[in-house]
């Protein structure tokens, strides 16, 4: 059985395109962070006001009644859900930042960073809350917060190309 030397494969980006690729990944990452920073208070406010909430994550009247029966204020529920969503996204962002810091000259690492940031930003409800309450944010939210635009496509491309940058299986 012949051993595959992964280091022998050239996975570095040519110098003129390296800066462009890094800027593109950083721009999408910064846009995702801005959407999260601006959208987090909006999401919390929407969950806190259960009667005027327009999100899918809003507590139903049964949940509100159960929380009231247990003596838990609705703001505690809103803080928990917001912290859970932010933590979920921050884990994806932190792993992407670590990969970018260590291997930003490798195109597979940059693709992994892009997939992590866009998939992590598209899953939770914070971008959706921002776009629902403030329609002016629909374009940035669609770019980084919609899983069909960049999230799933970049993740699928990464998974098909991992680990050596060639499509596996070959027919894909």
């Amino acid at each position: 059985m012949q051993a595959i030397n992964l280091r022998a494969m050239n996975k570095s980006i040519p110098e003129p395109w390296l800066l462009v690729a890094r800027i593109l990944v950083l721009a999408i990452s910064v846009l995702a962070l801005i959407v999260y920073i601006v959208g987090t208070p909006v999401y919390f406010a929407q969950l806190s006001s259960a009667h005027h909430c327009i999100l899918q994550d809003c507590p139903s009247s049964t949940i509100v009644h159960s929380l009231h029966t247990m003596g838990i204020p609705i703001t505690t529920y809103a803080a928990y859900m917001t912290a859970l969503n932010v933590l979920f996204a921050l884990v994806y962002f932190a792993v992407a930042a670590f990969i970018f810091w260590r291997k930003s000259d490798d195109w597979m690492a940059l693709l992994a960073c892009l997939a992590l940031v866009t998939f992590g930003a598209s899953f939770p409800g914070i971008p959706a809350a921002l776009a629902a309450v403030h329609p002016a944010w629909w374009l940035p939210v669609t770019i980084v917060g919609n899983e069909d635009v960049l999230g799933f496509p970049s993740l699928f491309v990464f998974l098909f190309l991992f680990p050596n940058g060639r499509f596996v299986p070959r027919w894909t």
Side-chain angles (χ1 to χ4, degrees):
M1 181 179 248
Q2 184 181 13
I4 297 174
N5 186 1
L6 293 177
R7 291 193 182 260
M9 302 173 104
N10 186 9
K11 293 191 293 182
S12 62
I13 299 173
E15 195 61 39
W17 293 105
L18 181 61
L19 182 63
V20 173
R22 285 178 178 166
I23 289 173
L24 180 67
V25 170
L26 283 175
I28 291 172
S29 300
V30 167
L31 182 62
L33 282 173
I34 289 171
V35 165
Y36 265 81
I37 290 169
V38 174
T40 299
V42 173
Y43 185 73
F44 178 77
Q46 282 291 305
L47 291 180
S48 294
S49 64
H51 300 296
H52 301 352
C53 190
I54 57 174
L55 304 175
Q56 286 182 333
D57 296 344
C58 294
S60 64
S61 59
T62 308
I63 292 175
V64 172
H65 185 300
S66 298
L67 290 172
H68 182 65
T69 304
M70 292 185 285
I72 300 172
I74 192 74
T75 55
T76 304
Y77 171 81
Y80 172 76
M81 290 300 291
T82 304
L84 192 64
N85 278 306
V86 168
L87 181 65
F88 180 84
L90 283 180
V91 167
Y92 276 85
F93 291 164
V95 172
F98 181 74
I99 292 171
F100 187 84
W101 174 54
R102 299 290 292 165
K103 291 291 250 179
S104 67
D105 61 337
D106 184 347
W107 72 273
M108 278 300 292
L110 287 177
L111 181 61
C113 293
L114 181 70
L116 285 167
V117 166
T118 56
F119 187 71
S122 67
F123 228 73
I126 292 175
L130 182 61
V133 174
H134 301 292
W137 283 89
W138 75 268
L139 183 61
V141 166
T142 301
I143 291 171
V144 296
N146 187 346
E147 65 267 356
D148 295 333
V149 175
L150 288 176
F152 284 124
S154 63
L155 183 66
F156 287 139
V157 168
F158 173 73
L159 291 176
F160 280 130
L161 291 173
F162 186 78
N164 61 3
R166 294 186 180 158
F167 283 105
V168 176
R170 186 180 286 267
W171 60 266
T172 58

